[in-house]
Amino acid sequence: MLRRFLLFSIFLLFIFFQVDAQNIDRPRFTPNELNNPGQTFCQAEVMNVEFQAENFNQSNIFRVQLSNLAGNFANPVVIGQLTATSGNLARVACNIPQGTVLGSGYRIRVVASNQAFTSPVNEHPFTIAPGLPAGASPDDFGTNSWIAHVHGWSTTESNITIPIADTIDFFNPANYTARFEVDSLSFNFNFGNFAPGNGTPGLRDFQGCVKPDFFAIRFKRRLFLDSGFYSFRARGDDGFRFSTDGGASWLITSWQEQAPSSLCHNNCCGVFLGAGLKDLIFEFFEEQIGATCSLTIEKAGPPGPITPPPAITVCPNLDPFQLNFTPSGGIFSGIGVDRTGIFYPNLAGSGAAVITYRTGLGPCLQTSDVIVTVTSGPIATISGLDSSYCIFDGPVNVSVSPAGGTLSGPGIVGNTSFNPSAAGIGLHSLLYIVSEAGCSDTTFFDVNVLPGGSITFEIPDSLVCQNGDSVSLTALPEGGTFSGEGVQGNFFNPARLAAGVYAIRYRIAGSSNCGDTSAMAQVRVKRIPNPAVTNVPASVCENGADIALLPLESGGVFSGLGIIGNLFSPQNVTETNQVVIRYFIETEGCADSSQQTIAIERPVAPVVSISNFLPRYCNSEPTFTLTVQPPGGILLLNGLASSSTINPQTLNPGLYQLVYTFKPATTCLDTFTANGQLEVIAKPQLSGLSDQTISQGESVQLTVSGASSYLWTPIEGLNATNIPNPLASPEESIVYTVEGKDETGFCADTATVSIRVFEPLFIPNVITFNGDGKNDTWDIKGLRTRTLNKIEIFDRWGNKVLNQTSYPNPWDGKVNEQVRPGTYFFHIDFEVDTDRKGILTILGEN
């Protein structure tokens, strides 16, 4: 019992120490300083996670899990994993999945598989922000603004100086994280301890996301610069540099980790640039704590001594003009002048204005002045007039100053008075121009002449037709307004008006002093008769009947080819295929007309035919196709609809009538017909013959039936050739052909019969070698007419001395070229006849 208790206690201690020994520190991001509140990662960005793990099995798998937006791990997403190695400090490259919801509040934790263990979550929640949009390229130059390309970078160096900075890839395209635009040519940014972002002042259209530290910005702009001297000043907290040729060379460079520093190219004295497109690039990198950068671009003007122009005196109303100093290209300042040297006398005012001209900057600064005096000059005035007069008022005296100028305008008399009736109703502008001591001035005065008094208004031609021209309306005095139905400005338009009498009013709106008057006139609009004709057809046949034309209103006159009164006769139109029928009608001096076109159809009668067939066909012949013209009609075979393809084998013997009808696509022609006839004859069917076998000298009766007449070929061995049952006595095997025809002799059938004729078979039973010329060989008669399979001869001991499948030459009885008299046995195997066996004796000397 004690032993069991001790073992159980040791087991519990083992479990306790095993469980207690497992440990995973809370995960953190690397580099360590990035594990700060407000940390941001781009969507789909690689996130390096570091953690400390102790006492896990080698096969253990560590999985980094991502929470939801609220930091909850109810449904975590695995974003990276690592199999346990010998070391306890682990770094895992994790990928934020594409499509992860954007926002703040995310957390991570590490989960082990063996032993199972879950770490605490990371210290601070972090943000997942959108990445760059598709198509964004770090090679883009801005044209109307700077495009700032933001890149992430990292290094193990603690102090980034030259040349270390030149070995770091600050602008690796793989680390391109954000971009924004800057509208102004010069700019000054202070990002503080935070990276650029949507909330950073001065940025426009920010896209992507960046880390608070270890970022670099490349500002790029393609800009046309005029020829001249330019000053470039740059400032940055850490490395900065500036180029006007796309980075091929650098005008300003301070490419190292540093406190905020400023540099001005050429001591701010400026550099000369020829006119043209310049690829401007300003680069800046930031390594932790604070991020400021700025760029100032000014047109400095050429350095060196300045030669000013002499003092200038101008009139106050002179047009703006250019001030010219030597050398050109500097900056102007002073009252009435802009930076480019355009002087505006009206803005400067009377008196002496000091204009300062500046070239160069810093130690190269040069200035010079010129005095521009704007004289007082004459001031033209017009007085003694009211702002308005009635048309019937008398002349009014006009006063001008200073005297000696010229007064002009409507109603001006003798440079001293204004006559309203001479000026006429309306607003008039009076002009006074005066010159004094080389300067001149101009002034205007507007006078409104108001209507009033009696009106003369009448319409001379008060009768117009509905479709007549517009009538011009006139009245005195002028300047009033016409109104009424059909009135358009100063015209009366009868179009679209019904027949009747219309009143037109002419009104002159006056003032409280001049009165308000009007007059009335009348005009009668006469009705236009309707020229429509209701029954004009679109087309007629050339031989069609006369048509009585029916207008909606009678009393008019018809005209056109084929017209007699109100009748149209197509037969009288012979020289054209189109006729225009016109109808003209007039009532009370108002007329209208109509015209309609009639097409005259003159169709040509088609030639209808059936062809491509024979008068007779045997019912055994193949299909044939009729030709019908023109196509598109109807074909009848013995009164039934048929296609043009005829198969005699499907027709019963007899006569067949063909009828083809065709109707042209016009009402002017009737149906046309073509006819044909063909006969189908039954082909004879011969029967009764069978092959025969006879011996030479014998005869056989041949019998055939199924036809009306017969003809046998060849004639050899036949007693007749034109009967159905001739007697055949051929000397040798033969094949007879018989042709049988129907009663007309048009259709025929043929048949053949084979007669096999055998010779009498004679097989000798002896061969002699006595020199008498008889029985010297084994000559078998009758083999020529029989089919032989083989001939075999055996000696008396059973040895085969002859074995042939054919017997072209008689056997001479020799075996191995020697004659051996004695008794032999033969076997003849025929294909059809009965085999023959027997004894053959060879006589002669050994």
Side-chain angles (χ1 to χ4, degrees), residues 202-213:
L203 306 191
R204 181 166 64 85
D205 299 333
F206 185 88
Q207 298 171 324
C209 59
V210 294
K211 298 292 183 281
D213 288 318

Side-chain angles (χ1 to χ4, degrees), residues 553-758:
E553 293 188 28
S554 60
V557 177
F558 287 98
S559 62
L561 294 177
I563 294 292
I564 301 176
N566 68 333
L567 290 180
F568 171 63
S569 178
Q571 298 93 332
N572 294 335
V573 180
T574 59
E575 297 179 354
T576 182
N577 293 331
Q578 186 169 283
V579 173
V580 177
I581 304 297
R582 296 178 177 84
Y583 182 64
F584 175 83
I585 184 171
E586 180 180 1
T587 59
E588 291 189 290
C590 294
D592 201 359
S593 64
S594 66
Q595 67 178 39
Q596 299 180 61
T597 301
I598 301 178
I600 308 297
E601 294 190 35
R602 306 182 190 277
V604 178
V607 177
V608 179
S609 64
I610 309 174
S611 60
N612 197 34
F613 70 96
L614 300 174
R616 288 179 174 178
Y617 290 91
C618 292
N619 64 355
S620 60
E621 292 190 48
T623 298
F624 63 93
T625 301
L626 300 172
T627 299
V628 293
Q629 291 293 340
I634 298 174
L635 178 66
L636 299 179
L637 182 65
N638 275 6
L640 299 177
S642 173
S643 70
S644 58
T645 300
I646 307 296
N647 184 358
Q649 298 177 23
T650 63
L651 299 178
N652 294 324
L655 286 175
Y656 288 87
Q657 300 298 324
L658 295 169
V659 179
Y660 180 65
T661 57
F662 177 79
K663 176 63 176 72
T666 174
T667 59
C668 298
L669 293 176
D670 293 329
T671 299
F672 293 83
T673 303
N675 296 282
Q677 178 179 286
L678 60 86
E679 182 181 9
V680 177
I681 300 173
K683 176 185 175 182
Q685 301 292 326
L686 297 182
S687 63
L689 292 178
S690 60
D691 293 343
Q692 302 290 326
T693 301
I694 62 173
S695 297
Q696 277 184 338
E698 292 181 346
S699 298
V700 65
Q701 185 82 44
L702 302 178
T703 302
V704 69
S705 62
S708 296
S709 62
Y710 304 92
L711 179 64
W712 296 83
T713 58
I715 62 175
E716 287 80 2
L718 297 177
N719 66 337
T721 60
N722 57 353
I723 61 176
N725 52 353
L727 185 66
S729 305
E731 293 294 327
E732 57 185 11
S733 297
I734 193 169
V735 176
Y736 289 107
T737 299
V738 60
E739 180 184 54
K741 291 187 176 181
D742 70 293
E743 296 174 352
T744 65
F746 183 76
C747 296
D749 191 18
T750 60
T752 60
V753 62
S754 176
I755 300 177
R756 190 174 186 183
V757 179
F758 290 107

Side-chain angles (χ1 to χ4, degrees), residues 452-457 475-477 506-508 516-519:
S454 61
I455 293 177
T456 301
F457 174 41
L476 292 176
Y506 179 69
R507 176 177 176 272
I508 297 178
D516 185 4
T517 57
S518 66

Side-chain angles (χ1 to χ4, degrees), residues 40 42 129 148-151 177-182 189-204 206-219 284 286 290-293:
T40 298
C42 290
H149 304 277
V150 185
H151 297 253
T177 61
R179 62 189 284 165
F180 57 87
E181 293 188 37
V182 182
F189 289 114
N190 184 357
F191 302 115
N193 291 329
F194 298 95
N198 286 317
T200 303
L203 306 191
R204 181 166 64 85
F206 185 88
Q207 298 171 324
C209 59
V210 294
K211 298 292 183 281
D213 288 318
F214 291 94
F215 67 89
I217 307 178
R218 175 179 283 157
F219 297 83
F284 163 73
E286 166 60 26
T292 62
C293 66

